[in-house]
Amino acid sequence: MKLLLTTLHAKYVHASLALPCLAAACSAVAGVEAVIREYTVNEPSDRLLRRLLVEEADVVAFSCYIWNIETTLRLAEELKLLRPQTFIILGGPEVSYAAADILHRYPAVDCIIRGEGEGSFPELMTILASGTGRSGDRTSLGAIAGIAFRSQAAVVTTPDRPALARLDDIPSPFRLGLADRDKPLVYYETSRGCPFSCAFCMSALEPGVRSFSAERIRDDLLLLMEAEVATVKLVDRTFNYDAARANEIWAFINEHNRTSLFHFEIAAELLTDANLALLSRVPEGVFRFEIGVQSGTPATLDSVARRSDLPLLYANIRRLREETGVVVHLDLIAGLPGEDFDGFLASLAPLFKLSPHHIQVEPLKVLKGTPMRRIAAREGYLFSSHPPYKILQTPWLSFADICRIELISRLLDLVHNNGRFPTLLRAVRGTIPLHRFFADLAAYWDARELPQQLALAELFRLLWCYCETELPSEHRVLYGDAIRYDFCMTEYPSGRLPGFMDGALAGRDGGTGRDLIDTARSRLNLPAGSRIRAVAVRFAHDCLKPPFTPLSNTLSFLYLSVPGRRQEVRVIPR
Ligand code: SF4
């Protein structure tokens, strides 16, 4: 029996962890030839359908999430029309909590795995491979806990399946060679479940935390590090739920890592002195921590059962930034109970003071099966009935407020998170609180329609339009210096230059920059094929360090292009 395990990713760089785990769980089932095929939701649907059909699989199992469920259901329907003998299975968080409803509404779907699949799936494959249960009378499937299936005209839901007691019972998909280690981003898990129960989160539905054994984790991590996977993203819901365990794994990675970067979701309140001491020894940028702040309002956090000690959370994030080289990514959710637009800005404000590398803001999603659905009904939330079930209005936020917050989120990505404007943001921060700056910038663009696609040079130009006309005029020269400095740090100024470069160029390449290039070339011993360019630019402030003291000066920017390396920019005072 040929089994096709498939999913549609949001982006090409992603690699599924669920499918290799299911294939590993079925590896001992006789008579099953499993293949994994991963696609993206952005591919034309006819091409996806054709790719599924050419596999001529007897059983097709789709892994379903909020970003792919609509396309998946359509594909399942069309696949069944063209190849009616195919047995179609759905699994994943997006179908686990509405299994019977989906089976009633989509006759093409034969079976749904509810919750963790590695227990039910091999049992299901054993029965299907034996030749029973695929069509007609499917009563044999009724013996499998944790599924729902169609049997002739009826939909049958079997009893819930307890979570696997020992995660190590799932054979390692990495050891079996079932997981794709060539993608730039590989997902990995060391534990399942979360010690917390936030009402808006799927993890709230699963009690307790289970971990793979230390030996298993070390073995898998070694395989990933030896394969020099570019980024290993751990999907553990709260990786550091046990501080000692987290330290052991971090120490192991730090000892054996070659070139990989590691992404963890952590609870910053749970970090200990021992954690921070170890993290201070990890090379800069190798670890990336995603930390959910979600809201800065204690009453709001209480209303969604999110346990959080905000002063400790902020203190530990500050320590992460000051004492370690960990890249810090903070998350906020807009639209939680009791938080209006000003409340959202009040939650955003303290985050800037922590100097994170990234701030991600997302409107609340009222996910299927979560307690947030009950809260939303009680409070009168309006949210989309289509995935990802985003809020449209709350008792505290209008639709226009939510759109404005989404624009703030996009501007944070463009101006804060991409790291291209550090000097401008430092200069602005000395004159206006950054949360206010982003709120006003969003209001400005709300009235003008920010283009969907923006080249970097255009972004500089548009940002300068705003700074020049809307920010306090007494600081305009400073803002001009700061954005000019960031611009010159980003790319060699050429072509039509933005307004903030007017009259600032003191020389380039063949002119006053020639001597610099000659000196650099003789000192740097660059390999053949390298290229150096230079510009000299005038400033009215000392942009090399805050507080940007007024100082008439000229800086030279050297752009070193070495084959096989990213362009490097060096700044030399003249
Ligand atoms: S939001 Fe994070 S901390 Fe809260 S239940 Fe979900 S995974 Fe756990």
Side-chain angles (χ1 to χ4, degrees):
M1 180 182 81
K2 181 168 179 183
L3 161 66
L4 172 63
L5 292 153
T6 188
T7 195
L8 305 173
H9 295 299
K11 291 183 185 162
Y12 168 75
V13 289
H14 298 157
S16 174
L17 177 61
L19 301 181
C21 283
L22 288 175
C26 292
S27 54
V29 179
V32 175
E33 177 212 345
V35 292
I36 296 174
R37 298 283 182 262
E38 302 178 49
Y39 309 110
T40 72
V41 281
N42 306 315
E43 294 177 56
S45 56
D46 280 355
R47 188 161 80 195
L48 289 171
L49 182 58
R50 195 165 156 64
R51 288 180 168 197
L52 295 179
L53 281 166
V54 295
E55 295 292 341
E56 297 188 343
D58 304 295
V59 178
V60 177
F62 291 93
S63 185
C64 304
Y65 301 89
I66 46 179
W67 61 83
N68 68 19
I69 184 65
E70 290 183 337
T71 313
T72 299
L73 285 167
R74 177 176 160 182
L75 273 176
E77 225 166 64
E78 292 173 354
L79 178 63
K80 193 71 153 192
L81 281 175
L82 291 170
R83 211 163 178 276
Q85 69 273 35
T86 315
F87 189 90
I88 295 181
I89 305 171
L90 306 185
E94 190 49 27
V95 294
S96 288
Y97 302 99
D101 177 50
I102 291 171
L103 284 164
H104 281 298
R105 286 168 45 215
Y106 296 91
V109 180
D110 296 291
C111 182
I112 291 179
I113 307 280
R114 294 164 25 237
E116 194 168 60
E118 291 92 347
S120 322
F121 204 69
E123 291 180 16
L124 179 59
M125 288 308 109
T126 304
I127 293 178
L128 296 182
S130 73
T132 60
R134 251 189 268 169
S135 58
D137 179 11
R138 291 177 175 161
T139 43
S140 54
L141 303 186
I144 306 170
I147 66 169
F149 61 97
R150 182 185 315 290
S151 182
Q152 291 165 344
V155 166
V156 180
T157 302
T158 65
D160 291 346
R161 173 179 287 270
L164 288 173
R166 270 176 36 93
L167 289 180
D168 280 18
D169 288 345
I170 307 167
S172 165
F174 298 98
R175 187 49 63 205
L176 292 177
L178 294 167
D180 185 352
R181 280 180 274 162
D182 296 330
K183 286 263 180 88
L185 189 147
V186 171
Y187 290 108
Y188 179 59
E189 64 182 348
T190 68
S191 65
R192 290 184 181 177
C194 179
F196 303 107
S197 311
C198 309
F200 49 81
C201 177
M202 288 276 190
S203 296
L205 308 172
E206 182 184 340
V209 188
R210 294 164 293 151
S211 174
F212 286 92
S213 67
E215 300 70 41
R216 163 72 177 265
I217 294 167
R218 283 200 290 265
D219 190 51
D220 282 345
L221 283 172
L222 268 185
L223 290 173
L224 293 171
M225 290 187 280
E226 280 164 6
E228 303 197 346
V229 169
T231 300
V232 180
K233 183 166 183 174
L234 284 97
V235 295
D236 302 50
R237 304 319 317 245
T238 299
F239 177 80
N240 62 329
Y241 71 91
D242 174 335
R245 171 189 173 278
N247 244 26
E248 275 173 28
I249 299 172
W250 285 334
F252 183 78
I253 294 173
N254 201 31
E255 191 182 333
H256 295 91
N257 187 32
R258 294 179 180 172
T259 57
S260 303
L261 306 181
F262 289 81
H263 182 117
F264 303 88
E265 289 187 28
I266 67 145
E269 302 100 305
L270 302 184
L271 288 172
T272 61
D273 286 343
N275 288 147
L276 287 156
L278 186 131
L279 293 168
S280 70
R281 298 197 293 274
V282 176
E284 176 140 11
V286 170
F287 283 4
R288 173 182 294 257
F289 284 179
E290 186 169 343
I291 299 168
V293 177
Q294 315 312 13
S295 167
T297 310
T300 290
L301 294 170
D302 283 348
S303 71
V304 289
R306 184 173 171 86
R307 282 190 277 132
S308 195
D309 178 340
L310 287 171
L312 181 60
L313 175 82
Y314 295 151
N316 280 349
I317 295 171
R318 198 168 289 115
R319 287 188 67 188
L320 273 177
R321 290 293 288 124
E322 288 169 0
E323 298 170 25
T324 77
V326 171
V327 176
V328 173
H329 177 133
L330 302 181
D331 293 338
L332 266 191
I333 296 178
L336 292 173
E339 207 163 78
D340 59 12
F341 188 78
D342 287 340
F344 161 74
L345 289 183
S347 291
L348 181 61
L351 304 198
F352 289 110
K353 298 203 176 92
L354 304 172
S355 308
H357 299 84
H358 290 249
I359 298 176
Q360 183 174 318
V361 172
E362 287 207 346
L364 175 68
K365 300 178 183 84
V366 187
L367 299 176
K368 273 184 193 165
T370 62
M372 193 63 219
R373 287 246 161 162
R374 281 197 304 279
I375 298 172
R378 187 184 71 216
E379 300 290 353
Y381 274 62
L382 302 182
F383 61 94
S384 171
S385 60
H386 297 275
Y389 315 111
K390 199 175 71 181
I391 48 166
L392 299 170
Q393 183 182 302
T394 79
W396 303 274
L397 288 174
S398 67
F399 182 64
D401 290 333
I402 294 166
C403 293
R404 180 78 55 89
I405 289 170
E406 288 190 294
L407 189 48
I408 291 176
S409 170
R410 180 159 180 236
L411 290 165
L412 282 168
D413 272 343
L414 288 171
V415 180
H416 181 274
N417 299 345
N418 79 1
R420 300 292 196 179
F421 300 94
T423 320
L424 177 65
L425 291 178
R426 271 202 296 272
V428 168
R429 186 185 188 155
T431 58
I432 312 163
L434 281 181
H435 68 284
R436 202 61 266 162
F437 169 76
F438 278 99
D440 293 347
L441 187 61
Y444 176 85
W445 280 112
D446 210 12
R448 287 166 180 79
E449 290 277 331
L450 188 61
Q452 272 312 310
Q453 301 291 332
L454 272 176
L456 191 57
E458 180 68 355
L459 179 59
F460 270 97
R461 198 184 65 72
L462 293 180
L463 200 51
W464 177 238
C465 272
Y466 174 77
C467 295
E468 199 182 21
T469 56
E470 305 296 316
L471 293 188
S473 56
E474 66 270 29
H475 302 301
R476 205 154 287 156
V477 176
L478 169 62
Y479 301 142
D481 271 359
I483 198 168
R484 189 181 311 129
Y485 184 88
D486 287 335
F487 183 71
C488 293
M489 286 303 290
T490 299
E491 57 187 48
Y492 177 77
S494 62
R496 197 180 131 242
L497 294 177
F500 54 76
M501 292 298 290
D502 287 350
L505 271 182
R508 69 162 80 224
D509 292 347
T512 52
R514 189 70 251 163
D515 52 335
L516 264 172
I517 292 178
D518 291 342
T519 314
R521 204 175 278 288
S522 63
R523 281 203 196 140
L524 294 173
N525 196 19
L526 297 172
S530 302
R531 184 177 181 204
I532 306 180
R533 288 179 296 174
V535 289
V537 182
R538 293 188 196 92
F539 292 88
H541 294 82
D542 180 0
C543 286
L544 292 178
K545 57 180 182 302
F548 305 110
T549 316
L551 174 74
S552 178
N553 67 115
T554 300
L555 296 177
S556 293
F557 295 82
L558 272 183
Y559 302 85
L560 312 179
S561 304
V562 176
R565 282 201 240 150
R566 292 179 69 179
Q567 176 179 270
E568 185 188 335
V569 185
R570 294 195 186 175
V571 189
I572 301 166
R574 287 171 71 89

